[in-house]
Amino acid sequence: MNYWTDLNMAAAAPEMVLTTALFIVLLLDLWLKDSQRWLTCGLAILSVVVTAAVQGVLWVSESQLAFHDMFILDGMAQLAKIGLYLAVIAVFVYSQSYVQVRNIYQGEFYTLTLFALLGMCIMVSAAHFLMLYLGLEILSLSLYALIALRRDDGKAAEAALKYFVLGALASGLLLYGISLVYGATGSLQLGDVLTATVSAAVNTWLLTLGLAFIVVAIAFKFGAVPFHMWVPDVYQGAPTAVAALVGTAPKIAATVFTFRIMVTGLAASSGEWEQLFLILAVASLVVGNLAAIMQTNIKRMLAYSTISHMGFILLAFLGKETGLEAAMYYAITYALMSALAFGVLMLLSDKDHECENISDLAGLNQKNAWYAFLMLLAMFSMAGIPPLMGFYAKFFVIKALLGQGFVWVAVYAVVMSLIGAFYYLRVVKTMYFDQADTAPETNGQMGSLAKVLLSVNGLLLLAWGILPDSVMNWCVEALVRTY
């Protein structure tokens, strides 16, 4: 038996390269002194770059199944993985000086992040419920440890414990839902589940009950209301470098994860899960935006704004094929916006001061107009102000909703966006018009590469906002090569 060809292992070559590189980094780090930890950072970045290069070399134009139809490589998976690689590289580069001065410049930070990346890659390429669950658990367990990485920080420990308890509950609900779907259809392979549900050869009651449990687990991963309790605590309690990771790449993975289950496996039950998604999205938009207005801690404000943004992604799934393209575009856009916002916060933090309150940004324009402009781009894009990417992300979702006749939902989403613009503009007002006794100092230890990448990050929000079809065409092509 030729395992390479019979199992089509080439389809998972990037994951195998990443796993190998991960263990090399893990082992080499054991022999490094603290003064040599920059090697761990460099090797971690190199590992992701090499994995991305392998992904590019093995780029396929048609969907491929591997490992007895448990793993799939298609357009959606490839686009999502490129987004994941770029997001993780950005987090590594932005956070190097931040983690160094906080005594978390350790191999654990990099190896756990690589483990999280591996879990996300498995999630987006899973064609079987067990693979979906495996990827989700690898991601979740890595994040639990990363959030609690600062052992001397009570807030981080509390946030990690809350996330662990609620995450364990969500995992249990997901497993229970999967077992019910298996009982109803007799299979865990997503294609077989779809075939069974289309032919109506299923136990409808069991399938509907299983679907409800799965939707709850998905809502938890998105941080949708009423399963959002962990999001503000994790964003505020975790080190900003870890919060940047939580707020970027996992959102792309969660979007494709939802696509795999709901569109690939349970499309025949779309009538049921679309109603649940609608309820979750409507609640997330109102709770996320109204709660964010009351926040003075900017990380907590970004957490509540994340809840509202995830409501938009859930709404996109109501828009059929056009909506799926919009969901992917929104996830990529949100990862870019969040990476920029957290990158600026890390830039403005030093060893003795954490930039986490909105008031900490007062007078930033007077101290460094460029960094203030970058934060302005992040805030305006999140608010949905043209011509930035965030505007077109919301526009494409609303357009998809109108195309399916959800007029009142589209109007509601626009109103919620207008309400949400208030707290984003408050941040801009603080940077440009408020005065501080001492203007915020920029982190002098942040390397030139990080500052350049941060600037590119912000300019991409503007450039791809002016030319939105460039990214949308990637999403359309990816979806075409998925079916």
Short mmCIF file of all heavy atoms in Angstrom, two decimals, residues 141-191:
data_model
loop_
_atom_site.label_atom_id
_atom_site.label_comp_id
_atom_site.label_asym_id
_atom_site.label_seq_id
_atom_site.Cartn_x
_atom_site.Cartn_y
_atom_site.Cartn_z
N LEU A 141 -7.60 24.24 23.26
CA LEU A 141 -6.65 23.92 24.32
C LEU A 141 -5.43 24.83 24.25
O LEU A 141 -4.87 25.22 25.30
CB LEU A 141 -6.23 22.45 24.22
CG LEU A 141 -7.34 21.43 24.54
CD1 LEU A 141 -6.87 20.02 24.24
CD2 LEU A 141 -7.76 21.54 26.01
N SER A 142 -5.00 25.17 23.05
CA SER A 142 -3.87 26.08 22.91
C SER A 142 -4.21 27.47 23.43
O SER A 142 -3.41 28.11 24.13
CB SER A 142 -3.44 26.17 21.44
OG SER A 142 -3.10 24.90 20.93
N LEU A 143 -5.41 27.94 23.13
CA LEU A 143 -5.82 29.27 23.57
C LEU A 143 -5.99 29.34 25.08
O LEU A 143 -5.67 30.36 25.71
CB LEU A 143 -7.12 29.69 22.88
CG LEU A 143 -7.03 29.95 21.37
CD1 LEU A 143 -8.38 30.39 20.83
CD2 LEU A 143 -5.97 31.00 21.05
N TYR A 144 -6.52 28.26 25.70
CA TYR A 144 -6.64 28.26 27.16
C TYR A 144 -5.29 28.54 27.81
O TYR A 144 -5.18 29.34 28.74
CB TYR A 144 -7.15 26.89 27.66
CG TYR A 144 -8.50 26.47 27.15
CD1 TYR A 144 -8.81 25.11 27.03
CD2 TYR A 144 -9.47 27.40 26.78
CE1 TYR A 144 -10.05 24.69 26.56
CE2 TYR A 144 -10.70 26.99 26.30
CZ TYR A 144 -10.99 25.63 26.19
OH TYR A 144 -12.21 25.21 25.71
N ALA A 145 -4.26 27.84 27.34
CA ALA A 145 -2.92 28.00 27.92
C ALA A 145 -2.33 29.37 27.59
O ALA A 145 -1.67 29.99 28.44
CB ALA A 145 -2.00 26.90 27.41
N LEU A 146 -2.54 29.85 26.37
CA LEU A 146 -1.98 31.15 25.98
C LEU A 146 -2.57 32.28 26.82
O LEU A 146 -1.85 33.21 27.22
CB LEU A 146 -2.26 31.41 24.49
CG LEU A 146 -1.31 30.74 23.50
CD1 LEU A 146 -1.88 30.84 22.09
CD2 LEU A 146 0.07 31.37 23.56
N ILE A 147 -3.86 32.23 27.08
CA ILE A 147 -4.51 33.30 27.84
C ILE A 147 -3.94 33.38 29.25
O ILE A 147 -3.79 34.46 29.83
CB ILE A 147 -6.03 33.08 27.86
CG1 ILE A 147 -6.61 33.25 26.45
CG2 ILE A 147 -6.72 34.05 28.82
CD1 ILE A 147 -8.02 32.76 26.29
N ALA A 148 -3.59 32.22 29.82
CA ALA A 148 -3.05 32.19 31.19
C ALA A 148 -1.53 32.21 31.22
O ALA A 148 -0.93 31.86 32.24
CB ALA A 148 -3.56 30.94 31.90
N LEU A 149 -0.90 32.64 30.14
CA LEU A 149 0.56 32.56 30.05
C LEU A 149 1.26 33.43 31.09
O LEU A 149 2.33 33.08 31.57
CB LEU A 149 1.00 32.96 28.64
CG LEU A 149 2.35 32.43 28.16
CD1 LEU A 149 2.41 30.92 28.27
CD2 LEU A 149 2.61 32.85 26.71
N ARG A 150 0.64 34.55 31.46
CA ARG A 150 1.22 35.39 32.52
C ARG A 150 0.74 34.85 33.87
O ARG A 150 -0.34 35.18 34.35
CB ARG A 150 0.80 36.85 32.35
CG ARG A 150 1.36 37.52 31.11
CD ARG A 150 1.14 39.02 31.13
NE ARG A 150 1.92 39.67 32.18
CZ ARG A 150 1.89 40.97 32.43
NH1 ARG A 150 1.12 41.77 31.69
NH2 ARG A 150 2.61 41.50 33.38
N ARG A 151 1.55 34.01 34.46
CA ARG A 151 1.15 33.30 35.68
C ARG A 151 0.95 34.23 36.87
O ARG A 151 0.28 33.89 37.84
CB ARG A 151 2.18 32.23 36.02
CG ARG A 151 2.34 31.18 34.92
CD ARG A 151 3.43 30.18 35.27
NE ARG A 151 3.62 29.19 34.21
CZ ARG A 151 4.41 29.35 33.17
NH1 ARG A 151 5.08 30.48 33.04
NH2 ARG A 151 4.54 28.41 32.25
N ASP A 152 1.57 35.41 36.84
CA ASP A 152 1.46 36.35 37.94
C ASP A 152 0.31 37.34 37.77
O ASP A 152 0.14 38.25 38.59
CB ASP A 152 2.77 37.13 38.09
CG ASP A 152 3.14 37.90 36.81
OD1 ASP A 152 2.61 37.55 35.74
OD2 ASP A 152 3.97 38.83 36.90
N ASP A 153 -0.49 37.16 36.75
CA ASP A 153 -1.59 38.07 36.45
C ASP A 153 -2.92 37.40 36.80
O ASP A 153 -3.33 36.43 36.15
CB ASP A 153 -1.56 38.45 34.96
CG ASP A 153 -2.51 39.59 34.64
OD1 ASP A 153 -3.51 39.75 35.36
OD2 ASP A 153 -2.26 40.32 33.65
N GLY A 154 -3.59 37.93 37.82
CA GLY A 154 -4.86 37.36 38.25
C GLY A 154 -5.94 37.46 37.21
O GLY A 154 -6.77 36.55 37.04
N LYS A 155 -5.96 38.58 36.46
CA LYS A 155 -6.99 38.75 35.43
C LYS A 155 -6.83 37.72 34.31
O LYS A 155 -7.83 37.19 33.80
CB LYS A 155 -6.92 40.17 34.85
CG LYS A 155 -7.39 41.26 35.79
CD LYS A 155 -7.35 42.61 35.10
CE LYS A 155 -7.84 43.72 36.03
NZ LYS A 155 -7.80 45.05 35.35
N ALA A 156 -5.60 37.45 33.94
CA ALA A 156 -5.35 36.46 32.88
C ALA A 156 -5.79 35.08 33.33
O ALA A 156 -6.40 34.32 32.56
CB ALA A 156 -3.87 36.46 32.50
N ALA A 157 -5.47 34.72 34.59
CA ALA A 157 -5.86 33.41 35.11
C ALA A 157 -7.38 33.28 35.17
O ALA A 157 -7.96 32.24 34.82
CB ALA A 157 -5.25 33.20 36.49
N GLU A 158 -8.04 34.35 35.60
CA GLU A 158 -9.51 34.34 35.67
C GLU A 158 -10.12 34.20 34.28
O GLU A 158 -11.07 33.42 34.08
CB GLU A 158 -10.00 35.63 36.34
CG GLU A 158 -11.51 35.71 36.45
CD GLU A 158 -11.98 37.05 37.00
OE1 GLU A 158 -11.13 37.87 37.40
OE2 GLU A 158 -13.20 37.28 37.02
N ALA A 159 -9.58 34.95 33.32
CA ALA A 159 -10.11 34.88 31.96
C ALA A 159 -9.93 33.49 31.37
O ALA A 159 -10.82 32.94 30.72
CB ALA A 159 -9.41 35.93 31.08
N ALA A 160 -8.74 32.90 31.60
CA ALA A 160 -8.46 31.56 31.07
C ALA A 160 -9.40 30.53 31.69
O ALA A 160 -9.89 29.63 31.00
CB ALA A 160 -7.01 31.18 31.34
N LEU A 161 -9.65 30.65 32.99
CA LEU A 161 -10.53 29.69 33.67
C LEU A 161 -11.96 29.80 33.15
O LEU A 161 -12.62 28.79 32.89
CB LEU A 161 -10.48 29.93 35.18
CG LEU A 161 -11.30 28.95 36.03
CD1 LEU A 161 -10.81 27.52 35.82
CD2 LEU A 161 -11.21 29.32 37.51
N LYS A 162 -12.44 31.04 32.99
CA LYS A 162 -13.79 31.23 32.45
C LYS A 162 -13.91 30.66 31.04
O LYS A 162 -14.88 29.98 30.70
CB LYS A 162 -14.15 32.72 32.43
CG LYS A 162 -14.43 33.31 33.80
CD LYS A 162 -14.79 34.79 33.69
CE LYS A 162 -15.10 35.39 35.05
NZ LYS A 162 -15.42 36.85 34.96
N TYR A 163 -12.90 30.94 30.23
CA TYR A 163 -12.92 30.45 28.85
C TYR A 163 -12.86 28.92 28.82
O TYR A 163 -13.53 28.27 28.03
CB TYR A 163 -11.73 31.05 28.09
CG TYR A 163 -11.74 30.79 26.61
CD1 TYR A 163 -12.94 30.69 25.90
CD2 TYR A 163 -10.55 30.68 25.89
CE1 TYR A 163 -12.94 30.47 24.53
CE2 TYR A 163 -10.54 30.46 24.53
CZ TYR A 163 -11.74 30.35 23.86
OH TYR A 163 -11.75 30.12 22.50
N PHE A 164 -12.06 28.35 29.73
CA PHE A 164 -11.93 26.89 29.78
C PHE A 164 -13.26 26.24 30.17
O PHE A 164 -13.70 25.27 29.54
CB PHE A 164 -10.84 26.50 30.77
CG PHE A 164 -10.78 25.03 31.04
CD1 PHE A 164 -10.28 24.14 30.10
CD2 PHE A 164 -11.24 24.52 32.25
CE1 PHE A 164 -10.25 22.78 30.34
CE2 PHE A 164 -11.20 23.16 32.51
CZ PHE A 164 -10.71 22.29 31.54
N VAL A 165 -13.89 26.75 31.22
CA VAL A 165 -15.15 26.15 31.69
C VAL A 165 -16.23 26.26 30.63
O VAL A 165 -16.92 25.27 30.30
CB VAL A 165 -15.59 26.82 33.01
CG1 VAL A 165 -16.99 26.34 33.40
CG2 VAL A 165 -14.61 26.52 34.12
N LEU A 166 -16.40 27.45 30.07
CA LEU A 166 -17.43 27.64 29.04
C LEU A 166 -17.07 26.89 27.76
O LEU A 166 -17.95 26.34 27.08
CB LEU A 166 -17.61 29.13 28.76
CG LEU A 166 -18.18 29.95 29.92
CD1 LEU A 166 -18.17 31.44 29.58
CD2 LEU A 166 -19.60 29.51 30.26
N GLY A 167 -15.77 26.85 27.43
CA GLY A 167 -15.35 26.12 26.24
C GLY A 167 -15.58 24.63 26.38
O GLY A 167 -15.97 23.96 25.42
N ALA A 168 -15.33 24.09 27.57
CA ALA A 168 -15.59 22.67 27.81
C ALA A 168 -17.08 22.37 27.67
O ALA A 168 -17.47 21.33 27.10
CB ALA A 168 -15.09 22.28 29.20
N LEU A 169 -17.92 23.26 28.17
CA LEU A 169 -19.36 23.08 28.03
C LEU A 169 -19.77 23.10 26.56
O LEU A 169 -20.56 22.25 26.10
CB LEU A 169 -20.09 24.19 28.80
CG LEU A 169 -21.62 24.19 28.69
CD1 LEU A 169 -22.20 22.89 29.26
CD2 LEU A 169 -22.20 25.40 29.44
N ALA A 170 -19.22 24.05 25.80
CA ALA A 170 -19.55 24.14 24.37
C ALA A 170 -19.07 22.90 23.62
O ALA A 170 -19.76 22.39 22.72
CB ALA A 170 -18.93 25.40 23.76
N SER A 171 -17.89 22.40 23.98
CA SER A 171 -17.37 21.19 23.33
C SER A 171 -18.27 20.00 23.61
O SER A 171 -18.53 19.17 22.73
CB SER A 171 -15.95 20.89 23.82
OG SER A 171 -15.06 21.90 23.42
N GLY A 172 -18.75 19.91 24.85
CA GLY A 172 -19.67 18.83 25.18
C GLY A 172 -20.97 18.91 24.40
O GLY A 172 -21.49 17.89 23.91
N LEU A 173 -21.49 20.12 24.25
CA LEU A 173 -22.71 20.30 23.48
C LEU A 173 -22.48 19.95 22.01
O LEU A 173 -23.35 19.35 21.36
CB LEU A 173 -23.20 21.75 23.61
CG LEU A 173 -23.69 22.17 25.00
CD1 LEU A 173 -24.02 23.65 25.03
CD2 LEU A 173 -24.90 21.36 25.42
N LEU A 174 -21.31 20.33 21.49
CA LEU A 174 -21.00 20.00 20.09
C LEU A 174 -20.93 18.49 19.90
O LEU A 174 -21.49 17.94 18.94
CB LEU A 174 -19.68 20.65 19.68
CG LEU A 174 -19.18 20.33 18.28
CD1 LEU A 174 -20.18 20.81 17.22
CD2 LEU A 174 -17.81 20.95 18.02
N LEU A 175 -20.25 17.80 20.81
CA LEU A 175 -20.16 16.34 20.72
C LEU A 175 -21.53 15.69 20.80
O LEU A 175 -21.83 14.74 20.07
CB LEU A 175 -19.26 15.81 21.83
CG LEU A 175 -17.76 15.76 21.56
CD1 LEU A 175 -17.02 15.21 22.77
CD2 LEU A 175 -17.45 14.92 20.33
N TYR A 176 -22.36 16.19 21.69
CA TYR A 176 -23.71 15.63 21.82
C TYR A 176 -24.50 15.86 20.54
O TYR A 176 -25.21 14.97 20.06
CB TYR A 176 -24.42 16.26 23.02
CG TYR A 176 -25.73 15.58 23.37
CD1 TYR A 176 -25.77 14.22 23.66
CD2 TYR A 176 -26.91 16.30 23.40
CE1 TYR A 176 -26.96 13.60 23.97
CE2 TYR A 176 -28.11 15.69 23.71
CZ TYR A 176 -28.14 14.33 24.00
OH TYR A 176 -29.32 13.72 24.31
N GLY A 177 -24.36 17.07 19.98
CA GLY A 177 -25.06 17.35 18.72
C GLY A 177 -24.58 16.46 17.59
O GLY A 177 -25.37 15.96 16.78
N ILE A 178 -23.24 16.23 17.53
CA ILE A 178 -22.68 15.36 16.50
C ILE A 178 -23.21 13.94 16.65
O ILE A 178 -23.54 13.27 15.66
CB ILE A 178 -21.14 15.38 16.57
CG1 ILE A 178 -20.60 16.75 16.11
CG2 ILE A 178 -20.54 14.28 15.70
CD1 ILE A 178 -19.11 16.91 16.31
N SER A 179 -23.31 13.47 17.91
CA SER A 179 -23.81 12.11 18.13
C SER A 179 -25.27 11.98 17.68
O SER A 179 -25.67 10.94 17.14
CB SER A 179 -23.67 11.74 19.61
OG SER A 179 -24.55 12.50 20.41
N LEU A 180 -26.04 13.03 17.88
CA LEU A 180 -27.44 12.99 17.45
C LEU A 180 -27.54 13.00 15.92
O LEU A 180 -28.38 12.31 15.34
CB LEU A 180 -28.21 14.18 18.04
CG LEU A 180 -28.42 14.17 19.56
CD1 LEU A 180 -29.08 15.46 20.02
CD2 LEU A 180 -29.27 12.97 19.96
N VAL A 181 -26.67 13.79 15.27
CA VAL A 181 -26.65 13.80 13.80
C VAL A 181 -26.26 12.42 13.27
O VAL A 181 -26.84 11.93 12.30
CB VAL A 181 -25.69 14.88 13.27
CG1 VAL A 181 -25.47 14.74 11.77
CG2 VAL A 181 -26.22 16.28 13.60
N TYR A 182 -25.29 11.79 13.94
CA TYR A 182 -24.90 10.44 13.53
C TYR A 182 -26.06 9.45 13.72
O TYR A 182 -26.30 8.59 12.85
CB TYR A 182 -23.70 9.98 14.35
CG TYR A 182 -23.27 8.56 14.03
CD1 TYR A 182 -22.59 8.26 12.86
CD2 TYR A 182 -23.58 7.51 14.91
CE1 TYR A 182 -22.21 6.96 12.56
CE2 TYR A 182 -23.21 6.20 14.62
CZ TYR A 182 -22.52 5.94 13.44
OH TYR A 182 -22.15 4.65 13.14
N GLY A 183 -26.77 9.59 14.82
CA GLY A 183 -27.92 8.72 15.04
C GLY A 183 -29.02 8.93 14.01
O GLY A 183 -29.73 7.98 13.64
N ALA A 184 -29.13 10.16 13.51
CA ALA A 184 -30.19 10.46 12.53
C ALA A 184 -29.81 10.05 11.12
O ALA A 184 -30.66 9.64 10.33
CB ALA A 184 -30.51 11.96 12.57
N THR A 185 -28.52 10.16 10.78
CA THR A 185 -28.10 9.94 9.39
C THR A 185 -27.25 8.69 9.20
O THR A 185 -27.09 8.23 8.07
CB THR A 185 -27.29 11.16 8.88
OG1 THR A 185 -26.09 11.28 9.65
CG2 THR A 185 -28.11 12.44 9.01
N GLY A 186 -26.64 8.19 10.27
CA GLY A 186 -25.79 7.01 10.16
C GLY A 186 -24.40 7.29 9.64
O GLY A 186 -23.69 6.35 9.26
N SER A 187 -23.99 8.55 9.61
CA SER A 187 -22.66 8.89 9.10
C SER A 187 -22.16 10.17 9.75
O SER A 187 -22.96 11.01 10.21
CB SER A 187 -22.70 9.08 7.58
OG SER A 187 -21.43 9.47 7.09
N LEU A 188 -20.83 10.32 9.80
CA LEU A 188 -20.20 11.54 10.27
C LEU A 188 -19.47 12.27 9.15
O LEU A 188 -18.91 13.34 9.37
CB LEU A 188 -19.21 11.23 11.41
CG LEU A 188 -19.82 10.74 12.73
CD1 LEU A 188 -18.73 10.39 13.72
CD2 LEU A 188 -20.75 11.79 13.32
N GLN A 189 -19.43 11.68 7.97
CA GLN A 189 -18.82 12.31 6.81
C GLN A 189 -19.79 13.35 6.26
O GLN A 189 -20.96 13.06 6.01
CB GLN A 189 -18.50 11.26 5.76
CG GLN A 189 -17.32 11.58 4.85
CD GLN A 189 -17.65 12.59 3.77
OE1 GLN A 189 -18.80 12.62 3.31
NE2 GLN A 189 -16.67 13.37 3.35
N LEU A 190 -19.34 14.58 6.10
CA LEU A 190 -20.26 15.67 5.78
C LEU A 190 -21.01 15.43 4.47
O LEU A 190 -22.20 15.73 4.37
CB LEU A 190 -19.48 16.99 5.72
CG LEU A 190 -18.85 17.46 7.04
CD1 LEU A 190 -18.04 18.72 6.84
CD2 LEU A 190 -19.91 17.68 8.10
N GLY A 191 -20.35 14.90 3.46
CA GLY A 191 -21.01 14.62 2.20
C GLY A 191 -22.10 13.58 2.35
O GLY A 191 -23.20 13.72 1.77
#
